[in-house]
Amino acid sequence: MAEAKLIDGKAHAERLRRQVAEGVAAFVEQHGTKPGLATVLVGADAASQVYVKSKGKTAIELGMASFDHRLPAETTEEELLALVARLNADPTIHGILVQLPLPRHIDSAKVLLAIDPAKDVDGFHPVNVGRLGSIGAGAPLDFPVPCTPLGCSMLLADAVGNLAGKSAVVVGRSTLVGRPVAQLLLRADCTVTIAHSRTRDLPALCRTADILVVAIGKPEFLRGDWIKPGAAVIDVGINRVPAGDGKTRLVGDVAFDEARHVAGCLTPVPGGVGPMTVACLMYNTLRSAQ
Ligand code: NDP
């Protein structure tokens, strides 16, 4: 069997960023104002700080306006809801992103519900979750769709082309990744099975898949001999593991060195789905502005 073609998420994300930058320039020309992204971070979680910084920096690189709201960890739910209300009413803001997780004393569901669905560039508002859940085959995505699942579907469309009739297995049923990925694959006319921690004989199920999307958060869990020869494999997992000498490295949920000898095409970790997530956030922000 030939080696799997690597799906280059970095190059794909770079293309998408260029397209968004062009769209932003056209928007500014037409409206005389920039698409605006507001990021809200409560507390000082190190990983969240890195994510929020990179989102704001990318927005500016693509010609958008970025409004960075950093609130102390002791911010009350009422204070956060008041900020969300102000951002909802502000015509210079087209996208609002509240970085999760929030401190435990704040009800995340309540905060997500308070965001104007038209500005919900993460696609987590129940109205947008419902829209994705009820979308017809091939219907336009004219509402914000969660960024990582959107990135997965773009990579698959590029690598595989027409997905109609393909058998897809999505391993993981989180609201953040697994479920929205499955909805997008259904929209693309795949026959979709969602697997989770209680699924019986997961290896046998995975072997039926033409399209395998894995989002479980377990390093190199899915082995090469679980993959149907020639399948397209999208590895969403990001896991940090020891690499000797006190160092660490990132690996996915798929045993990459095994999978590359079996799959037809495969995303690496890092450099696969990861770079698509921020690019899709920028895409969603531009679409909200438009
Ligand atoms: P969650 O922990 O929310 O969900 C994990 C899912 O995997 C659950 O549905 C769980 O099943 C299922 N699962 C766990 N163990 C097994 C198992 N042994 N067999 C089958 N299914 C199992 O994770 P997320 O969806 O948020 O994230 C998944 C991975 O994707 C993580 O590594 C995360 O870091 C990464 N990620 C990457 C992003 C990117 O930008 N590339 C963005 C978001 C996430 P059950 O429901 O039964 O518990």
Side-chain angles (χ1 to χ4, degrees):
M1 183 93 201
E3 289 276 297
K5 177 175 166 277
L6 286 191
I7 300 174
D8 187 346
K10 241 170 130 177
H12 201 288
E14 188 45 45
R15 281 200 296 281
L16 182 58
R17 285 159 53 116
R18 274 202 300 275
Q19 278 170 28
V20 171
E22 284 167 21
V24 169
F27 183 89
V28 172
E29 173 113 14
Q30 198 181 350
H31 300 277
T33 176
K34 295 178 176 184
L37 172 66
T39 54
V40 181
L41 176 62
V42 185
D45 177 71
S48 294
Q49 281 179 340
V50 172
Y51 295 144
V52 166
K53 193 170 163 199
S54 110
K55 289 165 185 173
K57 185 168 160 265
T58 308
I60 289 167
E61 281 168 7
L62 302 190
M64 302 191 203
S66 167
F67 303 88
D68 196 6
H69 295 268
R70 305 219 168 189
L71 309 179
E74 55 279 8
T75 301
T76 65
E77 190 175 283
E78 288 68 31
E79 287 167 334
L80 181 55
L81 289 171
L83 172 61
V84 169
R86 282 203 301 282
L87 298 173
N88 282 343
D90 183 341
T92 64
I93 304 287
H94 304 93
I96 302 171
L97 180 145
V98 177
Q99 185 66 43
L100 301 177
L102 289 168
R104 286 160 63 141
H105 65 277
I106 296 179
D107 181 349
S108 305
K110 208 165 162 185
V111 174
L112 293 181
L113 193 60
I115 297 173
D116 177 348
K119 296 189 179 187
D120 165 41
V121 282
D122 257 340
F124 294 156
H125 190 287
V127 164
N128 292 322
V129 173
R131 283 175 175 154
L132 185 59
S134 54
I135 197 165
L141 291 172
D142 50 5
F143 55 88
V145 172
C147 301
T148 301
L150 184 60
C152 293
S153 75
M154 287 179 176
L155 291 178
L156 275 171
D158 196 46
V160 180
N162 185 7
L163 300 177
K166 305 257 185 216
S167 159
V169 172
V170 180
V171 190
R173 59 174 160 181
S174 72
T175 51
L176 188 70
V177 188
R179 283 174 206 230
V181 164
Q183 308 282 15
L184 288 169
L185 292 173
L186 258 187
R187 170 181 171 270
D189 286 324
C190 290
T191 304
V192 184
T193 307
I194 306 178
H196 47 79
S197 65
R198 308 297 292 272
T199 296
R200 286 195 196 142
D201 202 352
L202 184 61
L205 176 66
C206 291
R207 278 183 214 112
T208 66
D210 305 312
I211 311 281
L212 191 54
V213 182
V214 191
I216 57 177
K218 295 218 150 68
E220 302 182 316
F221 179 81
L222 197 134
R223 314 306 308 190
D225 64 359
W226 301 18
I227 297 171
K228 178 176 175 175
V233 180
I234 302 288
D235 186 354
V236 186
I238 302 179
N239 309 286
R240 195 164 280 286
V241 296
D245 297 344
K247 295 189 179 131
T248 61
R249 66 189 178 103
L250 290 182
V251 298
D253 290 342
V254 176
F256 181 84
D257 286 335
E258 297 173 11
R260 65 188 309 176
H261 302 299
V262 190
C265 56
L266 170 69
T267 54
V269 177
V273 176
M276 288 300 287
T277 299
V278 175
C280 286
L281 175 69
M282 300 303 132
Y283 173 83
N284 279 350
T285 305
L286 172 63
R287 292 296 302 269
S288 294
Q290 287 168 335

